[in-house]
Amino acid sequence: MLRAETSLRYLKGVGPRRAESLRKLGLCTVEDLLYVLPFRYEDRRAFARVTDLVPFGSETTLDVRIARARLIRTRRPGFTLFEAVLEDATGSVRALWYNQPYLEKALRPGRRAVVFGRAVLDRRGGDLILENPDYELLDEGDAEGIHTGRIVPVYRRLGELSSRMQRSLLHRALQDLDPASVPEILPAHVARRRGLLPRLEALRRTHFPPPEVSLEELAARRTEAQLRLAFEEVFVLQLALALRREAARSERRRVAYQVTDAMRTRLARLLPFRLTEGQKRALREIGADLRSPRPMNRLLQGDVGSGKTIVALLSLLVAVENGSQGAFLVPTEILAEQHYRNFQRLFAERGAPYRIALLTGSVRGAGRRRALEGLESGAIELVVGTHALFDENVRFRRLGLVVVDEQHRFGVLQRAALAEKGLHPDVLVMTATPIPRSLALTVYGDLDVSVIDQLPPGRLPVKTLVREEADRDRVYRGVRSEVEKGRQAYVVVPLVEATERSDLKAATAFARQVEERYFRDLRVGLLHGRMKAADKDRVMSEFARGRIHVLVATTVVEVGVDVPNATVMVVEHAERFGLSQLHQLRGRVGRGGARSYCILMVGEGVKTREAVERLRIMTETQDGFRIAEKDLQLRGPGSVFGTDQHGLSDLQFLAVALGNPRLIEAARAEALALVSGGDASRDAARRALAALRPGWRRRFELAGVG
Ligand code: ADP
Ligand code: MG
């Protein structure tokens, strides 16, 4: 019998070569595969018929034979069209796939395929067509009951494994699996109290739903089986966070900081403006943390432009005033330099004698040596830097507080990295990604949360427009007229998957074109990630001082960049950006009192429905909270947090859990009860974590559980 921990290469149909490619994806055992869950389901109990297709109706599944197929090369270079005529007993319909020339090899005439998609009217003739439908080739001998004749799970392609292959493998694995090799992770009393299915049964029903299950519930991931898996996921995460919080609390105490009146006066003198109520509240909460001997672990959340930087700076200076050192950690060199420059200028203008240094990968030679020595001796009180701060040569004399700006860019991993250096500073992490409370509990369960819920006074909403190629002249003339009024502009160009080098060439060429065509007598600057740090810094500071009028940039300006005089942003190929990214980008304008504009240029060619939806949302709202929620719905949790480095992207049920705060509360309550229930109970908690398969354990180490 097959066991959960059996290596995948012993699963019939896998073999050494596929096993190796799966291993590269982090899938080693049968159990790993069991947790690769379907991303959607198709109702193949009865297929729709071609004659019944209606334009813009609902998504349907057809069982067809490929009658004809051809690859069409269009006049546009690099753009291909693959066309297939699909037929069943009732009629035929055309399907088009864009830029997928390899389909020619797969979708051969004569083959049987299951096709899933929505019919639309083709642009010219008004014919009914399917655009980019999903397809799955069937073999004549395919067993009824796995690939058809039921509600069928659909998987994302895994390396060489198509959805259909995964379905076959999983079906076999679930049949042959020794149930005793899939132990429960939830303590028995928890499963009983919450009426949860056994783990293996939940997995079985999630892959191959029983016939009585509702398709809507499946799609919403709300069946009993799916909720059982969601519960387990949240429970384990909460357990890990709770154990970590326990450890942090008992581990260390520091001297409580003092905040004296003299200090308050000194800090107040630094303020360039009156703080908003939200900023004041956040500062009060942080201040209370700092005055207590308990270490601070706080998340400061505030939408783009809400003014988190000044709150961070004042917090750092409280640590400095108490004789500690402060570190301001940011995700990009551009941002490090901006903060450093601004703080330095502020200190100089107001006669504040704080000693500050910059430390990034590009600070080298004597400058670097000075910074390192100063940090080690304590002569430097405040350092602004990138992940270069984690370098093993960086030693602090007395690191008191670390602020992590744009936390979502870092991953939780790096918070742990500081602790590994033997440093246990207070930590303030900041993010502009507003997250629902349920999500905050799930992923930041070990942090206290402060929220800045308002923007500084006098801000106007950024007027956001979607424009097309045909509007280009008008758009850029508009940009020009803003510049003539003394304003500045960003033009953002995407760096896509193509080799970075060719993209950079494209960006450079584009900058030149734009300059010649529209801005001949203006100063246009170019900024991208591959430039030398010194050049980036020069361009950025010239832009900040208004000496560059139009900045053509890649997404290096996405986070944090603050030039209030910039009032226009044009985003080229806006359809290629994710929602959160567009929101961050747009946040670069509208930072002063003047009306600002954000123009989302969409390129020619196909836009996915999702892209159209994203652009619509952008024009509709500027509320980062709503945008994040939408993004979550459209793309899942990985999107909201940027990257995989969180290990969050494989929290498969986060989105489900989010729609179900009661589930989160329940799982959290059970986890907390287990951790706070005395030694025996805590041991049970540790055992539950130890029973996790290696993939999970890796994931939770990412969340900082050693
Ligand atoms: P974010 O929260 O996105 O990091 P910043 O800290 O960069 O925002 O602040 C955005 C802009 O608003 C900056 O130009 C900053 O100087 C300004 N600002 C911040 N707080 C206030 C305030 N209370 N009143 C006026 N302007 C402010
Ligand atoms: Mg910021």
Side-chain angles (χ1 to χ4, degrees), residues 273-276 279 304-309 456 459 562 564 591:
F273 35 64
R274 286 177 64 130
L275 295 176
T276 63
Q279 287 170 319
V304 183
S306 61
K308 295 181 290 296
T309 315
R459 297 276 174 84
D562 183 41
R591 301 193 140 232

Side-chain angles (χ1 to χ4, degrees), residues 138-207:
L138 291 185
D139 285 332
E140 293 307 332
D142 269 346
E144 180 83 355
I146 300 183
H147 305 292
T148 58
R150 61 172 306 136
I151 296 176
V152 168
V154 181
Y155 302 90
R156 289 193 204 286
R157 192 178 185 84
L158 266 184
E160 293 178 15
L161 289 189
S162 67
S163 171
R164 181 168 158 279
M165 289 183 217
Q166 290 175 65
R167 193 180 306 128
S168 299
L169 288 177
L170 277 158
H171 196 262
R172 190 166 311 135
L174 282 165
Q175 247 165 12
D176 296 352
L177 195 64
D178 176 2
S181 72
V182 188
E184 284 304 328
I185 289 175
L186 298 175
H189 71 273
V190 174
R192 215 172 321 116
R193 181 156 50 217
R194 305 283 170 184
L196 299 170
L197 285 173
R199 178 153 79 118
L200 182 56
E201 190 52 29
L203 283 167
R204 207 187 281 287
R205 293 195 202 175
T206 299
H207 286 291

Side-chain angles (χ1 to χ4, degrees), residues 308-309 335 339 405-406 430 560 591:
K308 295 181 290 296
T309 315
L335 208 47
H339 284 332
D405 198 6
E406 311 289 353
M430 308 203 294
R591 301 193 140 232

